[in-house]
Amino acid sequence: MSTLVNVPKNGSLATTNSNVNFPTWSNWLDDIFNRDLPSVFTSNFNPGISLPKVNIKENADSYRVEMAVPGLKKSDFQIDLDNQVLSISTTKKEESEEAKENFTRREFGYASFKRTFSLPETVAEDKIEASYNEGILSIHLPKKEAAKQKPARRIKIS
C-alpha cells in the first residue's frame, strides 16, 4: 500500500491513500461478523461482567461504597482488606449440558472483575461491614472517633 503525502502551501499535511477502494482487514472482518453471520451466533455472545460502577458517599461518621452488580449472590463476592487497600472481586462460572439421543450441547461461561480502593487512615478497619440487597453491594466504612466531624459549638468569652 502506498501513501502519498501532499503538502499544501499553507503547510498542513493532507494524506491521500491510493488504495481507497480496497477494504482493510479489520473492515472486512467487521463486515463478516456484523453482516454475514446469522444473528444466532452474534446475539448469544456474552463478553462477561463489565467493570461495575461505584458510588462513594461520605458523611460526618462514615464512608459508604455502593456497587451495582445485579444477577449475583452474596456468596459470589470476595471482599479483602490488606494494608488499607479494600479489594472487591467476584468470579462466576456457568456451565450447562444438554444430552439428547443424537447430540450433546455444552455451554460454559466465565466472568470476573476486581476493584480496589485505597482507604484513608481515618477508617476504623475493624468495624467495616458489607451487605448485598437487590443487586447493590454496599460497604459501610465507619470513621475512627478522632476523625469524626464534631458539631459546631459556641465558645463563651470569660
Side-chain angles (χ1 to χ4, degrees), residues 53-58 62-68 86 88 115 117 119 129-131 136-141:
K53 304 271 189 220
V54 175
N55 290 331
I56 300 175
K57 301 174 186 175
E58 179 183 11
S62 65
Y63 299 94
R64 179 162 300 277
V65 176
E66 295 175 332
M67 181 180 294
L86 181 72
I88 306 165
R115 298 282 315 250
F117 304 93
L119 299 182
E129 297 176 345
S131 63
I136 304 292
L137 177 66
S138 183
I139 302 172
H140 182 249
L141 306 163

Side-chain angles (χ1 to χ4, degrees), residues 17-57:
N17 188 346
S18 63
N19 297 324
V20 171
N21 295 329
F22 296 107
T24 64
W25 277 106
S26 63
N27 288 345
W28 183 72
L29 289 172
D30 286 345
D31 284 347
I32 287 175
F33 284 105
N34 293 330
R35 181 192 61 202
D36 295 337
L37 286 178
S39 63
V40 70
F41 293 117
T42 56
S43 65
N44 290 333
F45 179 71
N46 181 1
I49 299 174
S50 61
L51 197 60
K53 304 271 189 220
V54 175
N55 290 331
I56 300 175
K57 301 174 186 175

Side-chain angles (χ1 to χ4, degrees), residues 79-98:
I79 302 173
D80 297 311
L81 183 63
D82 183 23
N83 204 20
Q84 290 183 298
V85 175
L86 181 72
S87 299
I88 306 165
S89 61
T90 188
T91 301
K92 186 167 174 116
K93 293 196 292 188
E94 291 182 12
E95 295 182 22
S96 67
E97 182 175 327
E98 180 182 353

